[in-house]
Amino acid sequence: MTTGVTRMLGASVMALALMSLTAMTQDQAAPPPTAASPSAAAAPVPVEAFAALPEFDSPALSPDGTRIAAKRAIDGKQYLMVAPLIKGQGKPALAALSDKVDVNWWRWVNDEWLVVGLGSQDTIRGEDYYVTRLIGIRADMTKMVRIDWENSGFRADELLWTARDGSTRILFAKQTGIYEMQDVYPSVYEADVATGRVKRIASGQTDVWDWYADGEGQLRMGVRYSDDTRQKSVLYRRSNAESFHTIARANGRKDESVLIPRIFRADGTALAIDDSDGYDALYEVTLPDLKLGRKLSSVTGYDIDGVIGNEAGNDISAIRYTDQSYHDAWTDPRIKELQGLIDKAVAPRRAEITSWDKVRNRFLVEVGGASQAGALYYWDIDYGTMQFLTWNNAQLRGRRLSPVRSVRYSARDGTSIEAILTLPRGKPDRNLPLIVLPHGGPFARDSESWDWWTQYLAELGYAVIQPNYRGSSGYGTAFARKGEGEWGLKMQDDLNDAVTYLAKEGIADPKRVCMVGASYGGYAAMRAAQRDGALYRCAISYAGVSDLQAMKRYDSRFLFSKTRADWLQKQAPDYHAVSPRFGAADMTIPLLIVHGKADKRVPVNQSRMMVAALKAAGKPVNYIEQPLADHHFTRAEDRLEFLKAMAAFLAKHNPA
């Protein structure tokens, strides 16, 4: 496929403006200052500080540990940056990012080259589609190489493997076209990111959408799934020299599943995540029969989030999980010891090792906490001490803001709900105005971590409760299933019961409560305005869903739309009954709706329909449509506009 897709991405990528910086700013290169004076610490923080983008986004060390690649925010705009960390290793380079192209991820291939995943919205035969591509970028950003763009379909950026021998080879999967089904099923290619040359390793097969490689670059597994029949099967081979054969099958209509190994081990076994004991846990798995063996994770009461592989790609170095906060449980004894040393040095702040070099002697370490945006450090263990690189938020720097803690309360049916509570600094914890802030997803969760939105609300003087209502992720299979059929019903009750709990504790004034949320949280806010006006004084929705049937139609344009429709029907059997759009006449409290026109996850029409229904019902509504905003607040300008509008709305309808 050529024309539209490559033209859209090509024009934007080739327009990347290459820039050089003589050095990182003095402010960033300097060591962190001493603690602020009491008067400075008590001073109010301006809204602009909370709207600021992170200085570095997803920083990654080169294999030799001498350079860092990241998105970097400068004056509210994001750039892709590569900067040296060792004196005399050259100058930093920046590439300006186009508003029309998403830089979704980047990965070091060797010390001189990165592979980058790009995405762009394109119109094909009158329909809008999201198109992805790969590009190789030399670390000094003097050369950019398209990876077989002309022979690619919609999805062409699924990285499976990068070489570990210092070469510029990768394995990736891509669709080869759009209009013929044999081109839609992704094939697997080896590519040289420095030259753009590719060769096919495996041809696409009917209904095989996902491929998996081992640490040596052998293509080991494919997963076949039919959206029409809901049948899934696993294809397996031991090496590229063999043919694939089916080793497992499952019927999705019967809620059956198959194990998909995360890591192929050198001894011929594999590692996979399974919920046989009610929680996602890591197990050894035999091949090719996929039988569960020894359980390797020991987290109690929570699912694990995933794993960190070792350098060879044939085992793990850590198990990732979240209880009240995020953790890496290192199985590598050397890194485990290093993590312990860092934790001791920075306590009570938290330290997360976010990136490392090939031999794992040089690290990037993020130090901060739920009430502190924190900073990024570079640690060369041969050098000894951690070197300060940058504040995550240059305006907040090391300021400690409102305290955060986890609480538990019982919902009205006895279900235990964990929630994150943020209390405004400098105020007594009694009879506070309250914001109920449900997370999106809804299969997601909140934990004790830095949250610019929550901290801003607390800075305004509000207590903020973030309930991990039934159906949230992380609490086991049974808890997730408690959300089935309960969108806008018991899931909504769980949010309301947080108000009851905080009022009983004397923390919140039950007569001064608003609900605020984004995505599913925005849906919940609109639903609260429709259903529970007696409990709330106002509601604010960012990118919320108002019409589930319309959302199902929108999702029908994407892969596995029938499976997605099955899932949505299970969550809300009666779309009409729990869609806020159809309850506009019942809304009795003020409502602020904000939506980005560039939102690809929840289309802006969801808010437009809600606003139209409210106006038709003679109900007042405040509506802001942001022309360039997406679903994830990736632009500082959009964050700032939203925070200011939210503050003004709350000051009018639920003043702190």
Side-chain angles (χ1 to χ4, degrees):
M1 185 198 122
T2 58
T3 59
V5 176
T6 53
R7 185 166 57 247
M8 170 68 79
L9 276 168
S12 299
V13 170
M14 299 314 291
L16 289 176
L18 186 64
M19 301 159 54
S20 290
L21 299 181
T22 56
M24 298 174 75
T25 64
Q26 291 182 355
D27 171 58
Q28 290 162 321
T34 56
S37 66
S39 59
V45 179
V47 62
E48 288 79 8
F50 296 97
L53 296 173
E55 287 294 297
F56 286 1
D57 183 0
S58 304
L61 277 181
S62 59
D64 64 3
T66 66
R67 285 189 274 197
I68 184 174
K71 277 186 186 177
R72 185 176 175 205
I74 301 176
D75 296 329
K77 184 172 178 59
Q78 288 193 329
Y79 298 80
L80 184 63
M81 178 199 73
V82 175
L85 296 171
I86 307 298
K87 198 170 184 179
Q89 291 286 325
K91 299 177 180 180
L94 294 175
L97 306 183
S98 167
D99 288 334
K100 295 183 179 179
V101 173
D102 301 324
V103 177
N104 292 321
W105 56 265
W106 48 95
R107 184 83 56 84
W108 287 96
V109 181
N110 64 10
D111 293 327
E112 298 298 327
W113 283 88
L114 299 100
V115 60
V116 180
L118 305 174
S120 177
Q121 196 84 357
D122 201 1
T123 302
I124 301 170
R125 293 185 175 179
E127 293 286 341
D128 288 336
Y129 295 93
Y130 194 69
V131 179
T132 61
R133 293 288 183 269
L134 288 182
I135 190 169
I137 299 182
R138 196 152 66 187
D140 61 7
M141 295 194 183
T142 59
K143 186 178 181 182
M144 300 182 184
V145 180
R146 300 181 185 184
I147 310 299
D148 205 28
W149 285 20
E150 297 297 322
N151 302 305
S152 298
F154 293 126
R155 171 181 156 194
D157 72 332
E158 187 179 0
L159 185 67
L160 305 179
W161 172 84
T162 57
R164 291 173 165 83
D165 59 3
S167 69
T168 49
R169 295 177 301 125
I170 64 169
L171 285 185
F172 76 107
K174 72 181 184 76
Q175 296 172 321
T176 57
I178 290 176
Y179 304 114
E180 301 294 334
M181 282 308 297
Q182 62 265 28
D183 297 327
V184 172
Y185 302 121
S187 297
V188 178
Y189 291 81
E190 181 181 292
D192 185 327
V193 300
T195 65
R197 288 193 293 268
V198 301
K199 65 177 180 180
R200 196 191 303 251
I201 299 299
S203 297
Q205 297 193 33
T206 300
D207 288 332
V208 175
W209 301 102
D210 297 299
W211 295 99
Y212 300 86
D214 64 19
E216 296 180 348
Q218 300 292 302
L219 188 63
R220 300 290 297 276
M221 187 169 287
V223 177
R224 172 172 281 134
Y225 182 74
S226 169
D227 196 39
D228 289 326
T229 66
R230 317 303 198 271
Q231 300 292 314
K232 179 179 283 189
S233 59
V234 177
L235 310 182
Y236 173 76
R237 69 184 184 187
R238 288 180 295 181
S239 72
N240 290 350
E242 297 183 358
S243 298
F244 285 102
H245 60 282
T246 301
I247 60 171
R249 290 185 173 85
N251 185 342
R253 295 190 189 279
K254 297 180 179 179
D255 206 24
E256 297 174 352
S257 62
V258 292
L259 277 177
I260 308 296
R262 298 296 181 97
I263 291 178
F264 298 93
R265 297 171 110 181
D267 63 5
T269 63
L271 299 175
I273 294 175
D274 184 73
D275 65 348
S276 295
D277 69 349
Y279 294 88
D280 286 349
L282 186 69
Y283 292 86
E284 292 179 336
V285 177
T286 57
L287 292 171
D289 55 13
L290 294 179
K291 287 186 178 179
L292 286 183
R294 184 165 58 106
K295 181 180 176 181
L296 300 181
S297 55
S298 57
V299 182
T300 302
Y302 297 91
D303 297 319
I304 68 168
D305 300 326
V307 298
I308 297 174
N310 65 358
E311 174 51 37
N314 59 14
D315 214 323
I316 62 167
S317 287
I319 295 171
R320 296 185 145 168
Y321 70 96
T322 303
D323 44 27
Q324 284 75 42
S325 57
Y326 172 85
H327 305 273
D328 287 331
W330 294 96
T331 57
D332 181 319
R334 188 174 71 93
I335 309 297
K336 182 178 181 180
E337 182 180 3
L338 293 174
Q339 179 76 62
L341 291 172
I342 304 172
D343 289 341
K344 186 176 180 180
V346 305
R349 296 171 296 168
R350 298 184 55 81
E352 180 187 350
I353 299 173
T354 60
S355 185
W356 42 82
D357 67 342
K358 183 175 181 179
V359 297
R360 302 193 177 185
N361 283 334
R362 293 168 170 169
F363 304 91
L364 294 178
V365 183
E366 187 171 308
V367 178
S371 60
Q372 186 182 46
L376 185 68
Y377 291 82
Y378 176 59
W379 188 22
D380 184 337
I381 62 174
D382 293 329
Y383 180 75
T385 58
M386 292 198 300
Q387 297 172 272
F388 174 81
L389 289 180
T390 184
W391 297 108
N392 289 337
N393 186 309
Q395 297 183 57
L396 294 174
R397 300 170 74 85
R399 288 191 65 172
R400 190 177 299 277
L401 299 180
S402 294
V404 179
R405 71 173 190 258
S406 295
V407 297
R408 275 194 178 269
Y409 62 90
S410 292
R412 63 194 66 184
D413 66 353
T415 299
S416 179
I417 305 294
E418 189 170 64
I420 310 302
L421 177 63
T422 303
L423 297 173
R425 63 192 180 99
K427 293 183 179 295
D429 301 344
R430 306 296 297 175
N431 294 320
L432 291 165
L434 177 66
I435 302 296
V436 179
L437 186 67
H439 60 72
F443 192 65
R445 63 169 295 194
D446 285 314
S447 62
E448 294 178 26
S449 60
W450 172 256
D451 185 330
W452 55 274
W453 190 353
T454 301
Q455 284 291 328
Y456 178 62
L457 286 166
E459 188 70 11
L460 293 176
Y462 298 95
V464 184
I465 187 79
Q466 297 169 273
N468 288 317
Y469 45 83
R470 70 190 70 206
S472 298
S473 63
Y475 296 96
T477 306
F479 188 82
R481 286 179 175 166
K482 278 180 176 287
E484 293 179 357
E486 299 299 342
W487 277 37
L489 301 173
K490 288 184 180 179
M491 289 165 71
Q492 208 74 21
D493 293 341
D494 292 345
L495 303 177
N496 298 345
D497 292 342
V499 179
T500 304
Y501 161 74
L502 291 175
K504 185 177 180 181
E505 293 291 311
I507 295 172
D509 180 350
K511 296 180 181 179
R512 293 192 294 159
V513 186
C514 286
M515 187 180 291
V516 182
S519 197
Y520 177 88
Y523 160 82
M526 290 188 285
R527 179 71 168 145
Q530 172 203 351
R531 199 190 79 150
D532 301 305
L535 186 61
Y536 298 96
R537 295 183 68 171
C538 61
I540 301 173
S541 167
Y542 184 89
V545 175
S546 69
D547 183 338
L548 296 180
Q549 184 67 49
M551 196 67 208
K552 176 185 173 183
R553 288 195 299 270
Y554 176 76
D555 285 343
S556 69
R557 301 159 48 195
F558 301 104
L559 193 61
F560 306 138
S561 61
K562 294 178 181 178
T563 301
R564 169 74 179 175
D566 289 349
W567 177 84
L568 190 59
Q569 187 73 46
K570 188 179 290 186
Q571 311 314 308
D574 187 342
Y575 292 153
H576 191 279
V578 296
S579 289
R581 175 190 176 192
F582 302 110
D586 300 324
M587 293 193 180
T588 57
I589 60 175
L591 180 63
L592 170 63
I593 298 176
V594 185
H595 212 124
K597 191 175 179 181
D599 194 330
K600 304 178 186 74
R601 181 63 197 98
V602 177
V604 68
N605 197 45
Q606 285 286 329
S607 286
R608 290 174 178 173
M609 290 188 298
M610 185 75 248
V611 170
L614 287 165
K615 289 181 177 179
K619 301 290 183 177
V621 61
N622 296 61
Y623 180 53
I624 298 173
E625 190 168 298
Q626 298 178 311
L628 299 178
D630 58 15
H631 194 67
H632 305 289
F633 280 123
T634 56
R635 289 171 19 99
E637 302 95 314
D638 301 323
R639 290 186 179 194
L640 182 59
E641 182 184 31
F642 172 73
L643 291 181
K644 286 182 174 180
M646 177 175 67
F649 184 81
L650 290 173
K652 180 178 180 180
H653 299 292
N654 190 30

